[in-house]
Amino acid sequence: MCPMNLTPPTMWLILGIFLIVLDLVIPDPLTLGLVAGFLALLVAALATVIPNTTIQILLWVGLSGLGVWVVQRLQPKIPRISLESDEATTMTEIPPNRSGRVHYEGASWRAVSCNPDQAIAPKQRVQVVGREGNTLIVFPLESESLPGS
């Protein structure tokens, strides 16, 4: 028997409601909580006719994985950052043909110069002109470093 004498359908119902509420309170870009929550509610209904808890868990895990995969395929691809004249500040030197670090939107990012033969000094303002994966492509806005360098 389950803890506190709860039946498996009741536990699945509680889990489903918890995951749905959690996803509404803390939004998840993968919608994992929402999908898994609704599928826990489905398993709660199926638990009345499928008494084996192991099968219920496997059914929930499999359907949740499939559900998240389907939802991700249906969601439109939206870029995570807007690169329209955004500025950053170099944290380290960006040597020619190598990467360095910039401070951009409150976080440290790997960055390369849009001119691979040009070095960019630390604490220099740069403009973000592109992104390749987790690497920003930047060019210097001014030839002087910021005060305090």
Side-chain angles (χ1 to χ4, degrees):
M1 195 56 125
C2 297
M4 300 182 344
N5 295 327
L6 295 176
T7 63
T10 305
M11 290 185 66
W12 285 111
L13 185 65
I14 291 168
L15 177 65
I17 292 170
F18 173 76
L19 289 172
I20 291 169
V21 169
L22 185 65
D23 194 71
L24 294 175
V25 172
I26 305 170
D28 174 18
L30 300 176
T31 65
L32 178 63
L34 198 59
V35 171
F38 279 117
L39 290 171
L41 297 178
L42 175 66
V43 172
L46 293 175
T48 59
V49 294
I50 302 174
N52 188 324
T53 307
T54 303
I55 293 175
Q56 294 171 12
I57 292 170
L58 291 174
L59 183 65
W60 178 67
V61 169
L63 287 175
S64 294
L66 179 65
V68 168
W69 182 78
V70 168
V71 168
Q72 285 180 339
R73 297 294 175 255
L74 296 175
Q75 288 180 338
K77 303 296 182 228
I78 300 170
R80 290 186 176 233
I81 60 172
S82 168
L83 297 175
E84 297 176 12
S85 27
D86 282 342
E87 291 183 15
T89 304
T90 56
M91 299 170 65
T92 64
E93 178 186 13
I94 302 176
N97 295 312
R98 303 212 34 219
S99 65
R101 303 296 296 180
V102 297
H103 187 260
Y104 176 71
E105 291 189 347
S108 173
W109 286 75
R110 182 174 184 255
V112 295
S113 174
C114 64
N115 179 355
D117 298 323
Q118 176 185 24
I120 303 175
K123 298 187 179 184
Q124 186 169 348
R125 288 183 7 182
V126 293
Q127 182 168 1
V128 179
V129 295
R131 176 178 165 188
E132 291 180 5
N134 288 332
T135 303
L136 298 178
I137 302 165
V138 299
F139 76 89
L141 287 176
E142 52 193 45
S143 59
E144 299 175 17
S145 296
L146 293 176
S149 54

